Amino acid sequence: MDEYQALQEQRRWQSLEPHSYENFVIGIMGLGVLGSKVAQRLASFGFSVKGWSRSKKEIAGIATYSQQQFADFLQQTRVIVNLLPSTPDTQGILNKTLFAQLKQGAYLINVARGEHLVEEDLLEALDSGQLKAATLDVFLQEPLSKQHVFWQRPEITVTPHISAITLPQVAMEQICRQLKAFQAGEAISGVVNMARGY
Protein backbone atom coordinates (compact mmCIF):
# COMPACT_ATOMS: atom_id res chain seq x y z
CA MET A 1 0.00 0.00 0.00
CA ASP A 2 2.94 2.35 0.52
CA GLU A 3 3.81 1.97 -3.16
CA TYR A 4 0.22 2.69 -4.23
CA GLN A 5 0.18 5.74 -1.94
CA ALA A 6 3.26 7.06 -3.75
CA LEU A 7 1.62 6.41 -7.12
CA GLN A 8 -1.53 8.20 -5.97
CA GLU A 9 0.47 11.26 -5.02
CA GLN A 10 1.91 11.21 -8.56
CA ARG A 11 -1.61 10.64 -10.01
CA ARG A 12 -0.36 7.51 -11.77
CA TRP A 13 -2.76 4.68 -12.60
CA GLN A 14 -0.43 1.69 -12.45
CA SER A 15 -0.84 -1.87 -11.24
CA LEU A 16 2.05 -3.38 -9.33
CA GLU A 17 3.04 -7.02 -9.44
CA PRO A 18 1.61 -8.68 -6.31
CA HIS A 19 3.81 -10.53 -3.84
CA SER A 20 3.24 -14.25 -3.40
CA TYR A 21 2.50 -15.48 0.12
CA GLU A 22 5.41 -17.92 -0.09
CA ASN A 23 7.96 -15.20 -0.90
CA PHE A 24 6.57 -12.59 1.50
CA VAL A 25 8.10 -14.07 4.66
CA ILE A 26 7.23 -12.30 7.91
CA GLY A 27 9.65 -12.65 10.81
CA ILE A 28 8.46 -12.03 14.37
CA MET A 29 11.18 -11.12 16.88
CA GLY A 30 9.95 -12.14 20.32
CA LEU A 31 7.57 -15.04 20.82
CA GLY A 32 6.08 -14.15 24.18
CA VAL A 33 2.34 -13.69 24.65
CA LEU A 34 2.05 -10.89 22.06
CA GLY A 35 4.55 -12.26 19.53
CA SER A 36 3.02 -15.74 19.55
CA LYS A 37 -0.47 -14.31 18.97
CA VAL A 38 0.73 -12.07 16.13
CA ALA A 39 2.57 -14.97 14.48
CA GLN A 40 -0.45 -17.28 14.72
CA ARG A 41 -2.84 -14.65 13.40
CA LEU A 42 -0.63 -13.85 10.40
CA ALA A 43 -0.16 -17.55 9.65
CA SER A 44 -3.95 -18.00 9.73
CA PHE A 45 -4.16 -15.55 6.81
CA GLY A 46 -1.81 -17.76 4.79
CA PHE A 47 1.41 -15.82 5.26
CA SER A 48 4.74 -17.58 5.61
CA VAL A 49 5.67 -16.72 9.21
CA LYS A 50 8.73 -17.49 11.29
CA GLY A 51 9.56 -16.48 14.81
CA TRP A 52 12.72 -15.90 16.84
CA SER A 53 13.13 -15.83 20.60
CA ARG A 54 15.79 -16.29 23.26
CA SER A 55 14.82 -19.93 23.66
CA LYS A 56 13.23 -22.05 20.95
CA LYS A 57 9.44 -22.22 21.10
CA GLU A 58 7.06 -24.72 19.54
CA ILE A 59 4.13 -23.01 17.80
CA ALA A 60 1.96 -24.93 15.35
CA GLY A 61 2.38 -23.68 11.78
CA ILE A 62 5.30 -21.35 12.65
CA ALA A 63 8.97 -22.03 11.91
CA THR A 64 10.72 -21.05 15.14
CA TYR A 65 14.34 -20.20 15.82
CA SER A 66 16.40 -19.86 18.98
CA GLN A 67 18.98 -17.22 19.90
CA GLN A 68 21.79 -19.22 18.25
CA GLN A 69 19.84 -19.39 14.95
CA PHE A 70 19.45 -15.63 14.46
CA ALA A 71 21.16 -15.46 11.04
CA ASP A 72 19.01 -18.34 9.72
CA PHE A 73 15.90 -16.57 11.01
CA LEU A 74 16.74 -13.32 9.22
CA GLN A 75 17.44 -14.90 5.82
CA GLN A 76 14.60 -14.48 3.31
CA THR A 77 12.63 -12.30 5.74
CA ARG A 78 10.69 -9.58 3.89
CA VAL A 79 8.93 -8.02 6.91
CA ILE A 80 10.53 -7.93 10.36
CA VAL A 81 8.20 -7.25 13.30
CA ASN A 82 9.88 -6.43 16.61
CA LEU A 83 8.02 -7.48 19.77
CA LEU A 84 11.05 -8.11 21.98
CA PRO A 85 11.23 -7.06 25.63
CA SER A 86 13.65 -4.30 26.54
CA THR A 87 16.76 -5.83 28.10
CA PRO A 88 20.48 -5.02 27.91
CA ASP A 89 20.78 -7.82 25.31
CA THR A 90 18.13 -6.35 23.01
CA GLN A 91 19.16 -2.68 23.09
CA GLY A 92 20.24 -1.59 19.61
CA ILE A 93 19.32 -4.95 18.06
CA LEU A 94 17.62 -3.25 15.09
CA ASN A 95 20.87 -2.14 13.48
CA LYS A 96 22.78 -2.23 10.20
CA THR A 97 24.05 -5.77 10.83
CA LEU A 98 20.48 -7.04 11.20
CA PHE A 99 19.15 -4.98 8.25
CA ALA A 100 21.92 -6.30 5.96
CA GLN A 101 20.77 -9.89 6.58
CA LEU A 102 17.17 -9.24 5.53
CA LYS A 103 15.89 -9.66 2.01
CA GLN A 104 16.64 -6.58 -0.14
CA GLY A 105 13.79 -4.07 0.10
CA ALA A 106 12.52 -5.42 3.44
CA TYR A 107 10.08 -3.68 5.78
CA LEU A 108 10.54 -2.96 9.49
CA ILE A 109 7.74 -2.73 12.05
CA ASN A 110 8.84 -1.75 15.57
CA VAL A 111 6.07 -1.88 18.16
CA ALA A 112 8.24 -2.91 21.12
CA ARG A 113 10.65 -0.27 22.49
CA GLY A 114 12.47 2.71 21.04
CA GLU A 115 15.84 1.64 22.44
CA HIS A 116 15.82 -1.42 20.17
CA LEU A 117 16.40 0.77 17.10
CA VAL A 118 19.65 2.41 16.04
CA GLU A 119 18.06 5.36 14.25
CA GLU A 120 21.08 6.28 12.09
CA ASP A 121 21.30 2.68 10.85
CA LEU A 122 17.63 2.74 9.84
CA LEU A 123 18.11 5.93 7.83
CA GLU A 124 21.18 4.45 6.13
CA ALA A 125 19.30 1.24 5.28
CA LEU A 126 16.43 3.25 3.79
CA ASP A 127 18.82 5.43 1.77
CA SER A 128 20.59 2.37 0.34
CA GLY A 129 17.34 0.54 -0.49
CA GLN A 130 18.14 -2.36 1.84
CA LEU A 131 14.92 -1.39 3.65
CA LYS A 132 11.96 -0.14 1.64
CA ALA A 133 9.94 1.29 4.52
CA ALA A 134 9.46 1.29 8.28
CA THR A 135 6.51 1.66 10.61
CA LEU A 136 7.57 2.91 14.03
CA ASP A 137 5.30 3.12 17.07
CA VAL A 138 8.00 3.57 19.72
CA PHE A 139 10.94 5.96 19.99
CA LEU A 140 13.97 6.77 22.13
CA GLN A 141 12.31 10.01 23.20
CA GLU A 142 8.55 10.36 23.34
CA PRO A 143 6.76 12.31 22.19
CA LEU A 144 8.84 12.43 19.03
CA SER A 145 10.31 15.91 18.57
CA LYS A 146 8.66 17.99 15.83
CA GLN A 147 12.14 18.49 14.38
CA HIS A 148 12.94 14.76 14.19
CA VAL A 149 13.97 13.57 10.73
CA PHE A 150 11.50 10.65 10.87
CA TRP A 151 8.60 13.06 10.26
CA GLN A 152 10.17 14.13 6.97
CA ARG A 153 10.79 10.68 5.54
CA PRO A 154 7.95 9.37 3.34
CA GLU A 155 9.20 5.79 3.84
CA ILE A 156 8.62 6.02 7.60
CA THR A 157 5.16 5.78 9.12
CA VAL A 158 5.03 7.25 12.63
CA THR A 159 2.35 6.32 15.17
CA PRO A 160 2.24 7.71 18.75
CA HIS A 161 2.91 4.57 20.84
CA ILE A 162 -0.58 3.15 20.31
CA SER A 163 0.10 -0.48 19.42
CA ALA A 164 -0.86 -1.87 22.82
CA ILE A 165 -2.99 0.63 24.70
CA THR A 166 -3.95 -0.47 28.19
CA LEU A 167 -7.68 -0.22 28.84
CA PRO A 168 -8.02 0.62 32.56
CA GLN A 169 -11.18 -1.41 33.20
CA VAL A 170 -9.81 -4.51 31.49
CA ALA A 171 -6.45 -4.15 33.26
CA MET A 172 -8.13 -3.85 36.68
CA GLU A 173 -10.16 -6.98 36.05
CA GLN A 174 -6.99 -8.88 35.11
CA ILE A 175 -5.16 -7.63 38.20
CA CYS A 176 -8.07 -8.63 40.47
CA ARG A 177 -8.22 -12.11 38.93
CA GLN A 178 -4.47 -12.55 39.45
CA LEU A 179 -4.63 -11.37 43.07
CA LYS A 180 -7.52 -13.72 43.86
CA ALA A 181 -5.68 -16.64 42.26
CA PHE A 182 -2.50 -15.77 44.18
CA GLN A 183 -4.39 -15.58 47.49
CA ALA A 184 -6.01 -18.94 46.75
CA GLY A 185 -2.59 -20.50 46.10
CA GLU A 186 -3.34 -21.06 42.42
CA ALA A 187 -0.85 -20.69 39.57
CA ILE A 188 -0.75 -17.22 38.04
CA SER A 189 0.51 -16.08 34.64
CA GLY A 190 2.52 -13.10 33.52
CA VAL A 191 5.06 -13.17 36.36
CA VAL A 192 8.22 -11.24 35.49
CA ASN A 193 11.51 -13.07 35.79
CA MET A 194 13.65 -10.35 37.38
CA ALA A 195 16.91 -11.95 36.19
CA ARG A 196 15.77 -11.86 32.56
CA GLY A 197 14.00 -8.52 32.84
CA TYR A 198 10.67 -9.71 31.40
Side-chain angles (χ1 to χ4, degrees):
M1 293 309 296
D2 59 315
E3 295 174 89
Y4 281 117
Q5 183 65 40
L7 290 171
Q8 178 180 333
E9 290 168 4
Q10 299 168 28
R11 299 182 183 187
R12 288 177 52 197
W13 184 273
Q14 177 185 341
S15 295
L16 299 172
E17 185 175 340
H19 298 287
S20 70
Y21 280 101
E22 298 79 28
N23 293 328
F24 204 81
V25 178
I26 301 173
I28 309 296
M29 293 175 61
L31 293 175
V33 174
L34 292 176
S36 296
K37 294 286 186 196
V38 169
Q40 290 169 323
R41 182 60 58 95
L42 289 169
S44 75
F45 294 137
F47 286 104
S48 177
V49 181
K50 52 188 178 176
W52 176 80
S53 58
R54 187 173 169 273
S55 57
K56 190 162 171 54
K57 305 280 193 307
E58 295 297 329
I59 304 171
I62 310 295
T64 59
Y65 299 78
S66 68
Q67 189 168 6
Q68 295 75 24
Q69 300 169 304
F70 196 43
D72 294 335
F73 162 74
L74 294 172
Q75 290 178 0
Q76 301 305 311
T77 297
R78 173 80 62 176
V79 178
I80 192 84
V81 181
N82 180 38
L83 286 161
L84 290 170
S86 178
T87 69
D89 291 336
T90 63
Q91 289 183 2
I93 195 167
L94 300 174
N95 59 39
K96 62 177 135 189
T97 302
L98 181 148
F99 300 147
Q101 295 177 74
L102 299 173
K103 198 160 184 156
Q104 179 80 22
Y107 296 83
L108 167 67
I109 300 172
N110 186 18
V111 290
R113 293 290 179 259
E115 54 267 11
H116 290 140
L117 177 65
V118 178
E119 295 183 352
E120 299 80 17
D121 290 359
L122 170 62
L123 295 171
E124 185 179 307
L126 290 168
D127 288 341
S128 72
Q130 179 59 30
L131 288 184
K132 186 158 185 67
T135 297
L136 307 175
D137 186 56
V138 290
F139 305 91
L140 280 172
Q141 293 185 341
E142 297 181 3
L144 192 62
S145 162
K146 290 183 181 182
Q147 289 75 39
H148 200 289
V149 67
F150 286 171
W151 292 113
Q152 301 158 25
R153 297 294 297 250
E155 323 95 303
I156 298 177
T157 299
V158 171
T159 56
H161 204 143
I162 56 164
S163 63
I165 295 174
T166 301
L167 302 173
Q169 185 60 40
V170 174
M172 288 304 299
E173 291 169 6
Q174 291 173 346
I175 291 167
C176 289
R177 276 197 306 273
Q178 293 280 59
L179 285 172
K180 287 178 182 176
F182 180 75
Q183 288 175 333
E186 300 169 5
I188 58 174
S189 62
V191 177
V192 173
N193 181 322
M194 297 305 284
R196 288 184 184 175
Y198 61 93

